């Protein structure tokens, strides 16, 4: 039996009823988060929860639970499903009301849902690297909000999949922003380059961990826009997300990156990232 989160309750998965007039369904009027679970423990849970509340504030959505209550509910959901390795997804919408672009009355309750998905880590990708393709970034101008409006990302990811690629590297004109579901970085001459955390990208929680890892291994970080041509000249390219962790990119649209294998800086980042994961001691 699988269990889901529904507002402040853990219920059987099939018992949730969402109104067809829910604003998440009709307008994408909501936000979400995904947290990786290792050994039954959420990794960087507080950072994800903090960003969840920050995204809610940016769209003027009131979350009717404290951060501590939400944290407790997520732990309960993991335990109820006996999840060891995988991820937990949760979202909140502005609730259900007669269809109207204007916000509903404040008395309309927000709707919180969540579920878990078991899945092993992508070791082969980490070890061998993946292929990527350039796709024009057609998303809205508030990519810093982890919104339910993901159609632009979905279309880009589909294009990448149809080309046999793991990721779509997005670009606005000639400037590389991020990927369809990950952040992207280039490493050249002992420096790590990545787009600054502004409204054009999501400041990934895994991204924040990677920048700390870079500092620990004395890999200088330069947060400035890169062009597509710049990216193709990099010695190493990596992408990161909750599921991608630190994934090397060895080919972009048929252009070999570096030696065509994961590079030394990538390996050091992977090792430093790995050391931060709750892999052996259950800390719940």
């Amino acid at each position: 039996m699988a269990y889901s989160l529904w507002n402040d309750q853990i219920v059987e998965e099939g018992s949730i009823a969402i109104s067809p007039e829910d604003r998440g369904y009709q307008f994408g009027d909501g936000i979400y988060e995904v947290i990786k679970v290792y050994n039954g423990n959420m990794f960087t849970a507080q950072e994800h929860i903090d960003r969840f509340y920050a995204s809610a504030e940016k769209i003027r959505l009131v979350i009717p639970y404290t951060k501590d209550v939400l944290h407790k509910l997520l732990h309960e959901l993991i335990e109820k499903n006996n999840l060891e390795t995988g991820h937990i997804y949760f979202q909140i919408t502005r609730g259900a009301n007669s269809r109207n672009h204007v916000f509903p009355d404040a008395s309309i309750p927000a709707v919180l849902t969540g579920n878990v998905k078991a899945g092993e880590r992508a070791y082969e990708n980490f070890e061998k690297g993946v292929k990527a393709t350039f796709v024009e970034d057609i998303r809205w101008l508030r990519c810093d909000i982890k919104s339910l409006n993901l159609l632009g990302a979905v279309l880009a990811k589909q294009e990448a999949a149809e080309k046999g690629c793991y990721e779509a590297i997005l670009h606005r004109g000639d400037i590389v922003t991020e990927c369809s579901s990950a952040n992207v970085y280039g490493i050249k001459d002992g420096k790590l380059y990545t787009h600054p955390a502004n409204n054009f990208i999501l400041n990934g929680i895994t991204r924040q961990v990677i920048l700390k890892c870079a500092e620990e291994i004395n890999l200088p970080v330069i947060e400035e826009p890169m062009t597509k041509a710049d990216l193709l000249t990099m010695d190493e390219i990596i992408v990161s997300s909750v599921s991608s962790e630190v994934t090397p990119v060895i080919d972009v649209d048929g252009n070999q990156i570096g030696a065509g294998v994961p590079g030394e800086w990538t390996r050091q980042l992977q090792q430093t990232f790995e050391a931060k994961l709750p892999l052996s001691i259950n800390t719940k």
Side-chain angles (χ1 to χ4, degrees):
M1 177 68 67
Y3 296 88
S4 297
L5 172 65
W6 189 18
N7 297 319
D8 60 350
Q9 302 293 320
I10 307 298
V11 301
E12 292 182 2
E13 191 173 66
S15 67
I16 294 179
I18 301 296
S19 168
E21 290 195 306
D22 187 279
R23 290 178 64 89
Y25 177 72
Q26 293 194 337
F27 296 108
D29 188 0
I31 56 168
Y32 76 101
E33 281 289 338
V34 182
I35 303 177
K36 188 72 174 185
V37 177
Y38 302 92
N39 192 38
N41 297 286
M42 290 182 285
F43 179 56
T44 58
Q46 194 58 56
E47 291 87 345
H48 281 280
I49 291 171
D50 286 346
R51 186 174 63 183
F52 190 62
Y53 279 76
S55 289
E57 184 176 1
K58 290 174 181 178
I59 67 167
R60 297 161 60 187
L61 190 160
V62 177
I63 299 175
Y65 313 104
T66 66
K67 292 180 181 180
D68 286 344
V69 167
L70 178 58
H71 202 161
K72 182 174 181 293
L73 288 168
L74 296 177
H75 268 306
E76 290 177 359
L77 183 60
I78 290 169
E79 291 174 346
K80 192 71 174 177
N81 284 285
N82 296 312
L83 180 67
E84 285 297 319
T85 301
H87 67 257
I88 183 167
Y89 173 96
F90 56 104
Q91 69 173 44
I92 192 165
T93 75
R94 211 179 300 273
N97 196 43
S98 180
R99 192 176 191 278
N100 187 338
H101 283 65
V102 177
F103 292 171
D105 184 87
S107 64
I108 300 297
V111 176
L112 175 69
T113 56
N115 55 29
V116 302
K117 182 177 181 180
E120 295 303 314
R121 299 169 66 194
Y123 291 110
E124 184 173 359
N125 290 346
F126 305 159
E127 182 61 29
K128 296 182 179 180
V130 299
K131 295 181 179 181
T133 183
F134 284 124
V135 177
E136 183 71 33
D137 192 345
I138 62 171
R139 303 169 303 162
W140 72 327
L141 297 178
R142 291 305 307 274
C143 298
D144 55 306
I145 299 172
K146 204 165 177 67
S147 159
L148 298 180
N149 294 276
L150 292 174
L151 188 54
V154 167
L155 292 172
K157 194 79 165 188
Q158 180 64 27
E159 182 173 336
E162 290 172 356
K163 293 179 179 178
C165 294
Y166 176 77
E167 256 298 2
I169 298 175
L170 304 180
H171 56 94
R172 292 183 184 270
D174 200 38
I175 299 299
V176 171
T177 50
E178 56 183 344
C179 296
S180 61
S181 62
N183 293 116
V184 62
Y185 321 72
I187 303 172
K188 188 174 182 64
D189 298 331
K191 295 178 182 178
L192 184 146
Y193 296 84
T194 188
H195 196 285
N198 55 22
N199 62 296
F200 291 120
I201 75 164
L202 181 72
N203 187 10
I205 303 302
T206 305
R207 176 184 186 273
Q208 295 170 39
V209 174
I210 286 175
L211 297 191
K212 291 177 182 176
C213 291
E215 182 179 0
E216 292 175 20
I217 63 175
N218 296 314
L219 176 62
V221 174
I222 299 176
E223 295 185 72
E224 64 181 30
M226 292 178 286
T227 66
K228 294 164 61 180
D230 290 336
L231 192 66
L232 292 178
T233 67
M234 293 291 164
D235 302 322
E236 305 172 47
I237 296 175
I238 58 173
V239 296
S240 75
S241 68
V242 164
S243 57
S244 296
E245 298 185 12
V246 184
T247 296
V249 175
I250 58 172
D251 179 285
V252 179
D253 286 330
N255 297 285
Q256 179 178 294
I257 304 304
V261 295
E264 182 56 35
W265 283 114
T266 297
R267 293 301 188 211
Q268 289 189 51
L269 286 170
Q270 288 177 327
Q271 293 165 9
T272 308
F273 182 86
E274 184 89 4
K276 298 181 182 300
L277 303 180
L279 299 178
S280 58
I281 300 175
N282 191 301
T283 58
K284 288 186 291 189

